Amino acid sequence: MSEQTREEDGRAARRVVVVGAGMAGVQTAVALREQGFDGTVLVVGAEPHQPYDRPPLSKAVLLGKAEHSAFDVDFESLDVELRLGSEALGVRPADHELDTESGPVPYDVLVLATGAEPIRLPGAEGVPGVHLLRTLDDAERLRPVLAARHDIVVVGAGWIGAEFATAAREAGCAVTVVEAADRPLAGALPADVAAAMTAWYADSGAELRTGTRVRRVEPGAVLLDDGTRLPADAVVVGIGARPATAWLTGSGIELGPHGEVVADAGLRTSLPDVYAVGDCASFPSGRYGERLLVHHWDNALQGPRTVAANILGTAGGEAPAVYDPVPYFWSEQFGRFVQYVGHHSGADTTLWRGDPAGPAWTVCWLRDDRLVALLAVGRPRDLAQGRRLIESGTPVDPELVVDPQRPLKTATA
């Protein structure tokens, strides 16, 4: 295979195969062409649909305001081949081949971009009316449910649960959100920050039941551990996601404790000629001093540029590009625009800008005198300025940071 597909310059005829046709996979193909790669690029996707963006699924597509969210990418002009509706089954690194439903695919370089898959609620599979919200097909199945203004139970008050509850209330549905933890977003934010968001549910007309577990899901109802029976024309499960990597078992590719592909600082895996990017991979962060597994859109957008640079740099003998981003994501829920940047686990100080009971406020996390993370609710300027402070590592003055009237960029020490 390699004799047929490689030319002596090591670059022109190389064949890059990208597994996954979501944001990370598509952007890898785009970045390769933008950076001058002139070999073959093949994107293999499990879904039959034209590659599409996921964030609109819980918003415009779900509410019927858009029919799809296909990427605005001209694959033909980029000379990128798509092989859709073909699930990846395994990798045989000794042969440099990817096994798929439609047969083996040879590669010179393989990029793993299979994203994450939703965690299913035990005992709920096969029960009529139980839904996930991850794919275009999921959104299309849920759209008529919202249009009929059904009674809906959402299991999980994380980011996706809150966004779906927001859309369901906008559609006029009766919504009850059931969360096993004592607060929404328990796995993402500290208790005092998440507590400030609890009132958003009631304000929107949704009922939030925290500290409550689902005992059983039946057709038309959800039975809780406390014996409560909730009527449910539909049940939407949003209890998290895990890297979609089960198909890599036995490949020799190192997986981490969450099932993610363990990538190095250049997003290379434990096998030669194999990279991993997006939701399916973790990477070491020099900035934060720990390995990060980031399940957000911006990571899937930014990481491919590093992958492409290293694929081209390998042929040219250049030093590897390093991926060390400041993570970022946003969420639209209950009439509020929520943005988060950075990583707060190593912070030693939490500062508030504004009243969390109001419509707009910000939380800043510091380590020593440097900003390491920021959550902005309705304050996009704080987010933009805070992101620059995190990236630059500029020391800040805590007494100036807490003044919501002061531009954050001027709160430096």
PDB file of all heavy atoms in Angstrom, residues 265-295:
ATOM      1  N   ALA A 265       1.012  16.221  23.399  1.00  0.00           N
ATOM      2  CA  ALA A 265       0.823  17.662  23.223  1.00  0.00           C
ATOM      3  C   ALA A 265       0.646  18.053  21.768  1.00  0.00           C
ATOM      4  O   ALA A 265       0.154  19.152  21.473  1.00  0.00           O
ATOM      5  CB  ALA A 265       2.004  18.418  23.832  1.00  0.00           C
ATOM      6  N   GLY A 266       1.021  17.168  20.850  1.00  0.00           N
ATOM      7  CA  GLY A 266       0.813  17.424  19.430  1.00  0.00           C
ATOM      8  C   GLY A 266      -0.393  16.691  18.878  1.00  0.00           C
ATOM      9  O   GLY A 266      -0.581  16.631  17.668  1.00  0.00           O
ATOM     10  N   LEU A 267      -1.198  16.093  19.773  1.00  0.00           N
ATOM     11  CA  LEU A 267      -2.406  15.337  19.442  1.00  0.00           C
ATOM     12  C   LEU A 267      -2.090  14.040  18.690  1.00  0.00           C
ATOM     13  O   LEU A 267      -2.909  13.533  17.943  1.00  0.00           O
ATOM     14  CB  LEU A 267      -3.412  16.196  18.672  1.00  0.00           C
ATOM     15  CG  LEU A 267      -3.916  17.419  19.464  1.00  0.00           C
ATOM     16  CD1 LEU A 267      -4.908  18.221  18.629  1.00  0.00           C
ATOM     17  CD2 LEU A 267      -4.556  16.998  20.787  1.00  0.00           C
ATOM     18  N   ARG A 268      -0.887  13.509  18.938  1.00  0.00           N
ATOM     19  CA  ARG A 268      -0.520  12.207  18.395  1.00  0.00           C
ATOM     20  C   ARG A 268      -0.881  11.127  19.411  1.00  0.00           C
ATOM     21  O   ARG A 268      -0.745  11.327  20.615  1.00  0.00           O
ATOM     22  CB  ARG A 268       0.979  12.160  18.092  1.00  0.00           C
ATOM     23  CG  ARG A 268       1.393  13.126  16.988  1.00  0.00           C
ATOM     24  CD  ARG A 268       2.891  13.322  16.946  1.00  0.00           C
ATOM     25  NE  ARG A 268       3.365  13.943  18.194  1.00  0.00           N
ATOM     26  CZ  ARG A 268       4.570  14.490  18.343  1.00  0.00           C
ATOM     27  NH1 ARG A 268       5.419  14.480  17.329  1.00  0.00           N
ATOM     28  NH2 ARG A 268       4.933  15.023  19.489  1.00  0.00           N
ATOM     29  N   THR A 269      -1.329   9.985  18.924  1.00  0.00           N
ATOM     30  CA  THR A 269      -1.685   8.881  19.807  1.00  0.00           C
ATOM     31  C   THR A 269      -0.457   8.027  20.096  1.00  0.00           C
ATOM     32  O   THR A 269       0.661   8.344  19.679  1.00  0.00           O
ATOM     33  CB  THR A 269      -2.781   8.003  19.184  1.00  0.00           C
ATOM     34  OG1 THR A 269      -2.211   7.214  18.132  1.00  0.00           O
ATOM     35  CG2 THR A 269      -3.924   8.852  18.629  1.00  0.00           C
ATOM     36  N   SER A 270      -0.692   6.906  20.791  1.00  0.00           N
ATOM     37  CA  SER A 270       0.408   6.003  21.132  1.00  0.00           C
ATOM     38  C   SER A 270       0.909   5.213  19.930  1.00  0.00           C
ATOM     39  O   SER A 270       1.931   4.533  20.027  1.00  0.00           O
ATOM     40  CB  SER A 270      -0.041   5.038  22.233  1.00  0.00           C
ATOM     41  OG  SER A 270      -1.180   4.298  21.815  1.00  0.00           O
ATOM     42  N   LEU A 271       0.203   5.274  18.808  1.00  0.00           N
ATOM     43  CA  LEU A 271       0.626   4.572  17.603  1.00  0.00           C
ATOM     44  C   LEU A 271       1.187   5.552  16.583  1.00  0.00           C
ATOM     45  O   LEU A 271       0.677   6.676  16.443  1.00  0.00           O
ATOM     46  CB  LEU A 271      -0.557   3.827  16.976  1.00  0.00           C
ATOM     47  CG  LEU A 271      -1.120   2.640  17.752  1.00  0.00           C
ATOM     48  CD1 LEU A 271      -2.257   2.003  16.958  1.00  0.00           C
ATOM     49  CD2 LEU A 271      -0.036   1.602  18.039  1.00  0.00           C
ATOM     50  N   PRO A 272       2.190   5.158  15.836  1.00  0.00           N
ATOM     51  CA  PRO A 272       2.726   6.046  14.799  1.00  0.00           C
ATOM     52  C   PRO A 272       1.690   6.304  13.706  1.00  0.00           C
ATOM     53  O   PRO A 272       0.869   5.431  13.390  1.00  0.00           O
ATOM     54  CB  PRO A 272       3.929   5.279  14.253  1.00  0.00           C
ATOM     55  CG  PRO A 272       3.679   3.848  14.626  1.00  0.00           C
ATOM     56  CD  PRO A 272       2.935   3.877  15.912  1.00  0.00           C
ATOM     57  N   ASP A 273       1.707   7.520  13.188  1.00  0.00           N
ATOM     58  CA  ASP A 273       0.841   7.924  12.072  1.00  0.00           C
ATOM     59  C   ASP A 273      -0.639   7.986  12.441  1.00  0.00           C
ATOM     60  O   ASP A 273      -1.498   7.990  11.554  1.00  0.00           O
ATOM     61  CB  ASP A 273       1.019   6.992  10.856  1.00  0.00           C
ATOM     62  CG  ASP A 273       2.446   6.935  10.369  1.00  0.00           C
ATOM     63  OD1 ASP A 273       3.095   7.993  10.370  1.00  0.00           O
ATOM     64  OD2 ASP A 273       2.913   5.840   9.997  1.00  0.00           O
ATOM     65  N   VAL A 274      -0.953   8.026  13.730  1.00  0.00           N
ATOM     66  CA  VAL A 274      -2.342   8.114  14.169  1.00  0.00           C
ATOM     67  C   VAL A 274      -2.488   9.292  15.132  1.00  0.00           C
ATOM     68  O   VAL A 274      -1.769   9.369  16.137  1.00  0.00           O
ATOM     69  CB  VAL A 274      -2.826   6.817  14.853  1.00  0.00           C
ATOM     70  CG1 VAL A 274      -4.298   6.954  15.249  1.00  0.00           C
ATOM     71  CG2 VAL A 274      -2.628   5.617  13.935  1.00  0.00           C
ATOM     72  N   TYR A 275      -3.415  10.198  14.821  1.00  0.00           N
ATOM     73  CA  TYR A 275      -3.716  11.370  15.641  1.00  0.00           C
ATOM     74  C   TYR A 275      -5.140  11.255  16.186  1.00  0.00           C
ATOM     75  O   TYR A 275      -5.953  10.476  15.686  1.00  0.00           O
ATOM     76  CB  TYR A 275      -3.601  12.648  14.805  1.00  0.00           C
ATOM     77  CG  TYR A 275      -2.204  12.958  14.318  1.00  0.00           C
ATOM     78  CD1 TYR A 275      -1.654  12.285  13.224  1.00  0.00           C
ATOM     79  CD2 TYR A 275      -1.433  13.934  14.937  1.00  0.00           C
ATOM     80  CE1 TYR A 275      -0.369  12.563  12.779  1.00  0.00           C
ATOM     81  CE2 TYR A 275      -0.151  14.229  14.497  1.00  0.00           C
ATOM     82  CZ  TYR A 275       0.377  13.536  13.412  1.00  0.00           C
ATOM     83  OH  TYR A 275       1.649  13.823  12.982  1.00  0.00           O
ATOM     84  N   ALA A 276      -5.437  12.062  17.206  1.00  0.00           N
ATOM     85  CA  ALA A 276      -6.796  12.099  17.753  1.00  0.00           C
ATOM     86  C   ALA A 276      -7.136  13.528  18.135  1.00  0.00           C
ATOM     87  O   ALA A 276      -6.294  14.264  18.666  1.00  0.00           O
ATOM     88  CB  ALA A 276      -6.920  11.185  18.968  1.00  0.00           C
ATOM     89  N   VAL A 277      -8.389  13.927  17.875  1.00  0.00           N
ATOM     90  CA  VAL A 277      -8.771  15.318  18.071  1.00  0.00           C
ATOM     91  C   VAL A 277     -10.245  15.410  18.448  1.00  0.00           C
ATOM     92  O   VAL A 277     -11.059  14.561  18.074  1.00  0.00           O
ATOM     93  CB  VAL A 277      -8.485  16.125  16.773  1.00  0.00           C
ATOM     94  CG1 VAL A 277      -9.366  15.670  15.631  1.00  0.00           C
ATOM     95  CG2 VAL A 277      -8.628  17.621  17.008  1.00  0.00           C
ATOM     96  N   GLY A 278     -10.593  16.449  19.209  1.00  0.00           N
ATOM     97  CA  GLY A 278     -11.989  16.679  19.558  1.00  0.00           C
ATOM     98  C   GLY A 278     -12.417  15.937  20.814  1.00  0.00           C
ATOM     99  O   GLY A 278     -11.611  15.615  21.691  1.00  0.00           O
ATOM    100  N   ASP A 279     -13.715  15.620  20.888  1.00  0.00           N
ATOM    101  CA  ASP A 279     -14.310  15.032  22.085  1.00  0.00           C
ATOM    102  C   ASP A 279     -13.771  13.661  22.452  1.00  0.00           C
ATOM    103  O   ASP A 279     -13.925  13.217  23.587  1.00  0.00           O
ATOM    104  CB  ASP A 279     -15.833  14.883  21.903  1.00  0.00           C
ATOM    105  CG  ASP A 279     -16.559  16.216  21.849  1.00  0.00           C
ATOM    106  OD1 ASP A 279     -15.896  17.255  21.901  1.00  0.00           O
ATOM    107  OD2 ASP A 279     -17.797  16.196  21.751  1.00  0.00           O
ATOM    108  N   CYS A 280     -13.161  12.971  21.508  1.00  0.00           N
ATOM    109  CA  CYS A 280     -12.731  11.593  21.772  1.00  0.00           C
ATOM    110  C   CYS A 280     -11.340  11.525  22.381  1.00  0.00           C
ATOM    111  O   CYS A 280     -10.873  10.427  22.726  1.00  0.00           O
ATOM    112  CB  CYS A 280     -12.771  10.752  20.495  1.00  0.00           C
ATOM    113  SG  CYS A 280     -11.492  11.157  19.276  1.00  0.00           S
ATOM    114  N   ALA A 281     -10.652  12.665  22.547  1.00  0.00           N
ATOM    115  CA  ALA A 281      -9.247  12.631  22.952  1.00  0.00           C
ATOM    116  C   ALA A 281      -8.966  13.563  24.124  1.00  0.00           C
ATOM    117  O   ALA A 281      -9.552  14.644  24.240  1.00  0.00           O
ATOM    118  CB  ALA A 281      -8.358  13.024  21.772  1.00  0.00           C
ATOM    119  N   SER A 282      -8.042  13.141  24.990  1.00  0.00           N
ATOM    120  CA  SER A 282      -7.513  14.038  26.016  1.00  0.00           C
ATOM    121  C   SER A 282      -6.099  14.441  25.621  1.00  0.00           C
ATOM    122  O   SER A 282      -5.435  13.766  24.833  1.00  0.00           O
ATOM    123  CB  SER A 282      -7.502  13.360  27.386  1.00  0.00           C
ATOM    124  OG  SER A 282      -6.585  12.274  27.415  1.00  0.00           O
ATOM    125  N   PHE A 283      -5.632  15.546  26.195  1.00  0.00           N
ATOM    126  CA  PHE A 283      -4.304  16.063  25.868  1.00  0.00           C
ATOM    127  C   PHE A 283      -3.708  16.720  27.108  1.00  0.00           C
ATOM    128  O   PHE A 283      -4.436  17.220  27.976  1.00  0.00           O
ATOM    129  CB  PHE A 283      -4.389  17.073  24.713  1.00  0.00           C
ATOM    130  CG  PHE A 283      -5.326  18.219  24.983  1.00  0.00           C
ATOM    131  CD1 PHE A 283      -4.884  19.387  25.591  1.00  0.00           C
ATOM    132  CD2 PHE A 283      -6.673  18.126  24.651  1.00  0.00           C
ATOM    133  CE1 PHE A 283      -5.749  20.436  25.856  1.00  0.00           C
ATOM    134  CE2 PHE A 283      -7.554  19.169  24.915  1.00  0.00           C
ATOM    135  CZ  PHE A 283      -7.087  20.330  25.519  1.00  0.00           C
ATOM    136  N   PRO A 284      -2.384  16.744  27.214  1.00  0.00           N
ATOM    137  CA  PRO A 284      -1.752  17.376  28.373  1.00  0.00           C
ATOM    138  C   PRO A 284      -1.725  18.893  28.202  1.00  0.00           C
ATOM    139  O   PRO A 284      -1.307  19.406  27.163  1.00  0.00           O
ATOM    140  CB  PRO A 284      -0.339  16.796  28.356  1.00  0.00           C
ATOM    141  CG  PRO A 284      -0.076  16.497  26.911  1.00  0.00           C
ATOM    142  CD  PRO A 284      -1.398  16.105  26.311  1.00  0.00           C
ATOM    143  N   SER A 285      -2.173  19.613  29.209  1.00  0.00           N
ATOM    144  CA  SER A 285      -2.172  21.067  29.153  1.00  0.00           C
ATOM    145  C   SER A 285      -1.001  21.600  29.974  1.00  0.00           C
ATOM    146  O   SER A 285      -0.982  21.466  31.203  1.00  0.00           O
ATOM    147  CB  SER A 285      -3.484  21.629  29.707  1.00  0.00           C
ATOM    148  OG  SER A 285      -3.399  23.042  29.847  1.00  0.00           O
ATOM    149  N   GLY A 286      -0.034  22.215  29.306  1.00  0.00           N
ATOM    150  CA  GLY A 286       1.045  22.873  30.016  1.00  0.00           C
ATOM    151  C   GLY A 286       0.545  24.067  30.792  1.00  0.00           C
ATOM    152  O   GLY A 286       1.036  24.394  31.878  1.00  0.00           O
ATOM    153  N   ARG A 287      -0.480  24.717  30.266  1.00  0.00           N
ATOM    154  CA  ARG A 287      -1.045  25.903  30.894  1.00  0.00           C
ATOM    155  C   ARG A 287      -1.677  25.573  32.253  1.00  0.00           C
ATOM    156  O   ARG A 287      -1.550  26.311  33.219  1.00  0.00           O
ATOM    157  CB  ARG A 287      -2.103  26.511  29.968  1.00  0.00           C
ATOM    158  CG  ARG A 287      -2.676  27.836  30.426  1.00  0.00           C
ATOM    159  CD  ARG A 287      -3.834  28.236  29.522  1.00  0.00           C
ATOM    160  NE  ARG A 287      -3.467  28.227  28.099  1.00  0.00           N
ATOM    161  CZ  ARG A 287      -2.903  29.231  27.466  1.00  0.00           C
ATOM    162  NH1 ARG A 287      -2.624  30.340  28.128  1.00  0.00           N
ATOM    163  NH2 ARG A 287      -2.622  29.145  26.178  1.00  0.00           N
ATOM    164  N   TYR A 288      -2.365  24.438  32.322  1.00  0.00           N
ATOM    165  CA  TYR A 288      -3.077  24.082  33.552  1.00  0.00           C
ATOM    166  C   TYR A 288      -2.428  22.939  34.324  1.00  0.00           C
ATOM    167  O   TYR A 288      -2.892  22.591  35.411  1.00  0.00           O
ATOM    168  CB  TYR A 288      -4.533  23.742  33.217  1.00  0.00           C
ATOM    169  CG  TYR A 288      -5.300  24.975  32.794  1.00  0.00           C
ATOM    170  CD1 TYR A 288      -5.598  25.206  31.460  1.00  0.00           C
ATOM    171  CD2 TYR A 288      -5.696  25.923  33.728  1.00  0.00           C
ATOM    172  CE1 TYR A 288      -6.289  26.355  31.070  1.00  0.00           C
ATOM    173  CE2 TYR A 288      -6.376  27.071  33.352  1.00  0.00           C
ATOM    174  CZ  TYR A 288      -6.669  27.273  32.016  1.00  0.00           C
ATOM    175  OH  TYR A 288      -7.338  28.417  31.637  1.00  0.00           O
ATOM    176  N   GLY A 289      -1.371  22.347  33.770  1.00  0.00           N
ATOM    177  CA  GLY A 289      -0.634  21.343  34.514  1.00  0.00           C
ATOM    178  C   GLY A 289      -1.364  20.037  34.728  1.00  0.00           C
ATOM    179  O   GLY A 289      -1.094  19.318  35.684  1.00  0.00           O
ATOM    180  N   GLU A 290      -2.302  19.714  33.855  1.00  0.00           N
ATOM    181  CA  GLU A 290      -3.025  18.451  33.958  1.00  0.00           C
ATOM    182  C   GLU A 290      -3.548  18.054  32.585  1.00  0.00           C
ATOM    183  O   GLU A 290      -3.552  18.849  31.647  1.00  0.00           O
ATOM    184  CB  GLU A 290      -4.179  18.549  34.957  1.00  0.00           C
ATOM    185  CG  GLU A 290      -5.229  19.589  34.620  1.00  0.00           C
ATOM    186  CD  GLU A 290      -6.307  19.685  35.681  1.00  0.00           C
ATOM    187  OE1 GLU A 290      -7.169  18.778  35.722  1.00  0.00           O
ATOM    188  OE2 GLU A 290      -6.291  20.648  36.474  1.00  0.00           O
ATOM    189  N   ARG A 291      -3.992  16.815  32.489  1.00  0.00           N
ATOM    190  CA  ARG A 291      -4.557  16.324  31.232  1.00  0.00           C
ATOM    191  C   ARG A 291      -6.012  16.740  31.145  1.00  0.00           C
ATOM    192  O   ARG A 291      -6.776  16.578  32.102  1.00  0.00           O
ATOM    193  CB  ARG A 291      -4.413  14.801  31.159  1.00  0.00           C
ATOM    194  CG  ARG A 291      -4.976  14.170  29.904  1.00  0.00           C
ATOM    195  CD  ARG A 291      -4.515  12.738  29.758  1.00  0.00           C
ATOM    196  NE  ARG A 291      -3.107  12.701  29.354  1.00  0.00           N
ATOM    197  CZ  ARG A 291      -2.687  12.767  28.096  1.00  0.00           C
ATOM    198  NH1 ARG A 291      -3.579  12.882  27.104  1.00  0.00           N
ATOM    199  NH2 ARG A 291      -1.417  12.723  27.798  1.00  0.00           N
ATOM    200  N   LEU A 292      -6.417  17.284  30.005  1.00  0.00           N
ATOM    201  CA  LEU A 292      -7.773  17.783  29.820  1.00  0.00           C
ATOM    202  C   LEU A 292      -8.535  16.925  28.816  1.00  0.00           C
ATOM    203  O   LEU A 292      -7.991  16.502  27.796  1.00  0.00           O
ATOM    204  CB  LEU A 292      -7.755  19.233  29.321  1.00  0.00           C
ATOM    205  CG  LEU A 292      -7.081  20.277  30.216  1.00  0.00           C
ATOM    206  CD1 LEU A 292      -7.228  21.667  29.606  1.00  0.00           C
ATOM    207  CD2 LEU A 292      -7.652  20.258  31.631  1.00  0.00           C
ATOM    208  N   LEU A 293      -9.805  16.673  29.132  1.00  0.00           N
ATOM    209  CA  LEU A 293     -10.743  16.030  28.214  1.00  0.00           C
ATOM    210  C   LEU A 293     -11.884  17.019  28.039  1.00  0.00           C
ATOM    211  O   LEU A 293     -12.688  17.220  28.952  1.00  0.00           O
ATOM    212  CB  LEU A 293     -11.243  14.708  28.794  1.00  0.00           C
ATOM    213  CG  LEU A 293     -12.319  13.959  28.008  1.00  0.00           C
ATOM    214  CD1 LEU A 293     -11.841  13.619  26.603  1.00  0.00           C
ATOM    215  CD2 LEU A 293     -12.758  12.705  28.747  1.00  0.00           C
ATOM    216  N   VAL A 294     -11.943  17.674  26.887  1.00  0.00           N
ATOM    217  CA  VAL A 294     -12.853  18.803  26.674  1.00  0.00           C
ATOM    218  C   VAL A 294     -13.927  18.409  25.660  1.00  0.00           C
ATOM    219  O   VAL A 294     -13.635  18.162  24.497  1.00  0.00           O
ATOM    220  CB  VAL A 294     -12.082  20.043  26.164  1.00  0.00           C
ATOM    221  CG1 VAL A 294     -13.038  21.202  25.951  1.00  0.00           C
ATOM    222  CG2 VAL A 294     -10.984  20.424  27.156  1.00  0.00           C
ATOM    223  N   HIS A 295     -15.182  18.356  26.112  1.00  0.00           N
ATOM    224  CA  HIS A 295     -16.297  17.984  25.239  1.00  0.00           C
ATOM    225  C   HIS A 295     -17.044  19.225  24.786  1.00  0.00           C
ATOM    226  O   HIS A 295     -18.224  19.407  25.104  1.00  0.00           O
ATOM    227  CB  HIS A 295     -17.272  17.055  25.994  1.00  0.00           C
ATOM    228  CG  HIS A 295     -16.792  15.644  26.084  1.00  0.00           C
ATOM    229  ND1 HIS A 295     -17.548  14.627  26.607  1.00  0.00           N
ATOM    230  CD2 HIS A 295     -15.623  15.077  25.705  1.00  0.00           C
ATOM    231  CE1 HIS A 295     -16.867  13.494  26.568  1.00  0.00           C
ATOM    232  NE2 HIS A 295     -15.695  13.751  26.013  1.00  0.00           N
TER     233      HIS A 295
END
